[in-house]
Amino acid sequence: MTITPALSDALTILAAAGIVIPTFARFRINPVIGFIIVGIIAGPFGLGSLTSRYEWLQWISITDEAVVEPFAELGIVLLLFSIGLELSFRRLIAMRRQVFGIGAAEMVLTAVLIGGSLWLVGWQPQSALWLGLALAMSSTALVLPISGTQSAVGRAALAMLLFEDLALVPMLFLIGAASGSAAAGLGSVAIKGAIVLAVIWLVGRFALPALFAQAARSKKPELFLAISLLVVILAATATASVGLSPILGALVAGLVIAETEYRSEVEVVTEPFKGLALGVFLIAVGMRIDVRALVEDWPSLLGALAAVILVKSLVTGMLLRMAGARRGVAAETGVLMASPSETTLIVLGAAGVAGILRPDTVAFWSAVTAIGLTVTPLLASLGRLAARRVDHAAAASEEDPPIEGRTVIFGFGRVGRMVADMLDEHDRPYLAIDSDVDGFMEARRSGYSVLYGDVSRRELIGKLDLDKARAVVLTMDDPVLTARIAKRLREEHPALPIIARARDAEHAGALYRAGVTDAVPEALEASLQLSEAVLVDIGVAMGPVIASIHEKRSELRAEIMESGQLDVEPSLGRRRVRDSLA
């Protein structure tokens, strides 16, 4: 078998994927950085440049960047297809204000600020405008896998990225028109594009369900994969043939399949290919980075990247705050979206071919973009840190005044929220404490009386004025922390009723030893209720079932009494009525 350079490059890419993904997953590091580093090391500016001196390096290097480019483009197409699968036409229509409102404002304002700054320092207006538009775009390939599309950050990022992906089509056409290479008018391209998109929708609406149904009857997942890839490739080719971006065709193909009942199966069978293709794209990005040039010109490159990140993060964060987003969401989204995009490289290349940008300008800003893509995962981490700090500062300023006789709830997850709902149902005042910023902010918006804070800090407990509290409820899902806080509260407030959530009988015994008034083992209560339902449903008479449940509760009370070294048997399902008339 003859090992061609193309086959050697393909083997290197596959080996990189097999090593990078599990290695970085083992250390919980985003593999994006790993793929880009592989491209830098194994690419034509790394080991690939030494193959003429050391022939054996061809086995672990990539010498021809052009061989990788088609696979990288396929990766972007598959990524946009997967984004389309997560959406639907109904959701896209519902997001139209965010997409064409904040998405358009973010891109235009960023381009104006960057392009205007370049024009003020002597750039030609046309060059400054197109470079500003190119740098205003953010990475769909990296941002959405990091943020997802379900969180507040993910939804905000998705709206802006969708507008940028849609804007790429007229941008590429206008660049071609500026160079005189556009053969048809903009109106002609728009009409042909509308016809192609309508055909894709009609075929997907009426033909795809039948094809997927046949694949389902055959029970062969490879048929789902074949049909899905065929749809993506045909849609991308169709849009490209009329002057539109193949990315748009892939996105529409995903939207069409998302409207069928076979969406979940398609997502499953295409997921491995999407991940591998994205890895190839990232390797191609790394291959564009010349480390030697970076060393020689690093102040200019890093300074340019820092300026772009600063402008984009401020613009994005400001617009999101004006649109009503939470401070933490605005801060995290702004930093996450701050680096340039893979589509920036596409626009730079087109502008270079059209003569709008000089070759040295294209090379410089392509290097800036490649570095920006490399640091995107780091920006995501910085964004999350910034969000936590901003939300912490906002939460610290929102404190409820002490109320005589209120119940204080430590922890506000599903259990704490249920307790608060029942207290509210009976018109009893309460205050909940929670250390999860997102949960705290959501609860505040929902009208709950919640204070942000870490209950493990003695200073916070000291500010709660627990001498005036009616009771304290411990709902945290941390056995050690719950026991430690219970012991501290009992030492400082001997008469305070303390009701704690326990995992099981052993944990309940430990909590009684720590000084709680009541410990409720949720797993045991749920098991008893489940057992009761099973026995009744299979035909056992209700009387014997209730008797056996009471007997089992008695056994558990005895077990907890022995474990907790109690003098009095715990209630555990036999609620006392003391003070009920008080």
Side-chain angles (χ1 to χ4, degrees), residues 207-446:
L208 275 183
L211 288 175
F212 283 131
Q214 185 61 37
R217 292 188 190 99
S218 68
K219 299 187 182 300
K220 293 183 178 179
E222 59 268 23
L223 285 181
F224 272 99
L225 177 61
I227 294 172
S228 302
L229 292 179
L230 179 63
V231 170
V232 176
I233 293 172
L234 288 179
T237 303
T239 53
S241 66
V242 296
L244 300 177
S245 169
I247 294 176
L248 183 60
L251 179 65
V252 174
L255 287 168
V256 168
I257 294 179
E259 298 294 328
T260 70
E261 57 268 34
Y262 304 100
R263 163 186 176 179
S264 298
E265 182 66 18
V266 173
E267 285 182 325
V268 171
V269 298
T270 58
E271 182 66 25
F273 287 86
K274 182 191 73 174
L276 180 60
L278 178 59
V280 175
F281 163 75
L282 295 172
I283 290 175
V285 170
M287 290 166 56
R288 293 188 176 97
I289 301 178
D290 185 351
V291 177
R292 299 184 188 89
L294 295 183
V295 172
E296 294 174 357
D297 201 20
W298 68 267
S300 300
L301 290 168
L302 295 183
L305 178 60
V308 171
I309 290 175
L310 179 62
V311 170
K312 293 182 69 175
S313 60
L314 291 177
V315 169
T316 303
M318 179 192 68
L319 289 174
L320 287 173
R321 282 294 295 156
M322 292 174 62
R326 203 179 74 224
R327 292 186 181 91
V329 172
E332 182 176 352
T333 309
V335 178
L336 175 63
M337 298 270 295
S339 64
S341 165
E342 62 277 357
T343 49
T344 300
L345 299 173
I346 297 173
V347 176
L348 288 174
V353 171
I356 297 174
L357 297 175
R358 297 197 310 267
D360 60 328
T361 301
V362 173
F364 177 85
W365 287 103
S366 294
V368 171
T369 302
I371 299 172
L373 289 169
T374 305
V375 301
T376 297
L378 301 179
L379 291 177
S381 299
L382 290 175
R384 286 189 289 269
L385 178 62
R388 285 197 296 270
R389 291 191 174 183
V390 169
D391 280 338
H392 289 181
S397 63
E398 299 185 19
E399 297 187 6
D400 291 339
I403 299 177
E404 187 79 25
R406 69 183 175 187
T407 298
V408 180
I409 306 170
F410 285 10
F412 205 65
R414 56 182 178 83
V415 177
R417 183 166 298 206
M418 179 62 71
V419 173
D421 287 338
M422 295 305 297
L423 288 168
D424 196 47
E425 181 74 18
H426 293 276
D427 296 323
R428 299 302 175 97
Y430 70 88
L431 174 66
I433 316 295
D434 197 47
S435 60
D436 176 33
V437 170
D438 292 328
F440 161 78
M441 299 299 290
E442 193 276 331
R444 276 280 186 179
R445 288 193 297 270
S446 300

Side-chain angles (χ1 to χ4, degrees), residues 9-332:
D9 292 346
L11 292 174
T12 301
I13 292 172
L14 292 175
I19 294 173
V20 168
I21 294 177
T23 300
F24 278 69
R26 172 67 178 81
F27 296 100
R28 297 182 179 180
I29 300 175
N30 194 306
V32 167
I33 299 176
F35 281 119
I36 295 179
I37 292 175
V38 167
I40 294 174
I41 296 175
F45 296 111
L47 297 178
S49 64
L50 303 176
T51 53
S52 58
R53 296 168 58 185
Y54 308 99
E55 294 185 2
W56 60 271
L57 286 177
Q58 66 180 336
W59 293 97
I60 57 173
S61 63
I62 303 171
T63 57
D64 188 2
E65 183 179 345
V67 174
V68 184
E69 288 298 330
F71 297 99
E73 293 175 4
L74 178 62
I76 299 300
V77 167
L78 289 178
L79 177 68
L80 267 293
F81 170 69
S82 67
I83 293 172
L85 283 177
E86 295 181 4
L87 296 172
S88 66
F89 282 110
R90 288 185 295 272
R91 185 179 179 187
L92 192 57
I93 292 173
M95 293 178 60
R96 63 187 182 278
R97 292 185 178 179
Q98 292 88 346
V99 173
F100 296 100
I102 192 171
E106 183 269 337
M107 184 173 178
V108 171
L109 184 55
T110 302
V112 168
L113 289 176
I114 295 176
S117 300
L118 295 172
W119 176 67
L120 289 176
V121 297
W123 279 54
Q124 292 296 321
Q126 187 181 37
S127 300
L129 172 64
W130 284 110
L131 183 57
L133 287 170
L135 294 173
M137 308 184 86
S138 301
S139 176
T140 301
L142 301 186
V143 169
L144 288 185
I146 292 173
S147 68
T149 59
Q150 302 303 317
S151 65
V153 173
R155 290 191 297 271
L158 176 62
M160 290 181 280
L161 291 169
L162 278 177
F163 181 83
E164 292 174 5
D165 290 334
L166 294 173
L168 180 62
V169 178
M171 286 174 62
L172 293 178
F173 172 80
L174 291 174
I175 289 175
S179 66
S181 62
L186 182 59
S188 175
V189 172
I191 293 173
K192 292 179 180 178
I195 294 173
V196 166
L197 294 177
V199 170
I200 293 174
W201 182 83
L202 289 172
V203 171
R205 178 69 176 82
F206 297 104
L208 275 183
L211 288 175
F212 283 131
Q214 185 61 37
R217 292 188 190 99
S218 68
K219 299 187 182 300
K220 293 183 178 179
E222 59 268 23
L223 285 181
F224 272 99
L225 177 61
I227 294 172
S228 302
L229 292 179
L230 179 63
V231 170
V232 176
I233 293 172
L234 288 179
T237 303
T239 53
S241 66
V242 296
L244 300 177
S245 169
I247 294 176
L248 183 60
L251 179 65
V252 174
L255 287 168
V256 168
I257 294 179
E259 298 294 328
T260 70
E261 57 268 34
Y262 304 100
R263 163 186 176 179
S264 298
E265 182 66 18
V266 173
E267 285 182 325
V268 171
V269 298
T270 58
E271 182 66 25
F273 287 86
K274 182 191 73 174
L276 180 60
L278 178 59
V280 175
F281 163 75
L282 295 172
I283 290 175
V285 170
M287 290 166 56
R288 293 188 176 97
I289 301 178
D290 185 351
V291 177
R292 299 184 188 89
L294 295 183
V295 172
E296 294 174 357
D297 201 20
W298 68 267
S300 300
L301 290 168
L302 295 183
L305 178 60
V308 171
I309 290 175
L310 179 62
V311 170
K312 293 182 69 175
S313 60
L314 291 177
V315 169
T316 303
M318 179 192 68
L319 289 174
L320 287 173
R321 282 294 295 156
M322 292 174 62
R326 203 179 74 224
R327 292 186 181 91
V329 172
E332 182 176 352

Side-chain angles (χ1 to χ4, degrees), residues 470 518 571 573-582:
R470 185 67 178 268
D518 274 312
S571 56
R574 189 179 61 201
R575 295 291 93 195
R576 296 182 295 272
V577 293
R578 70 181 185 189
D579 300 329
S580 62
L581 300 178

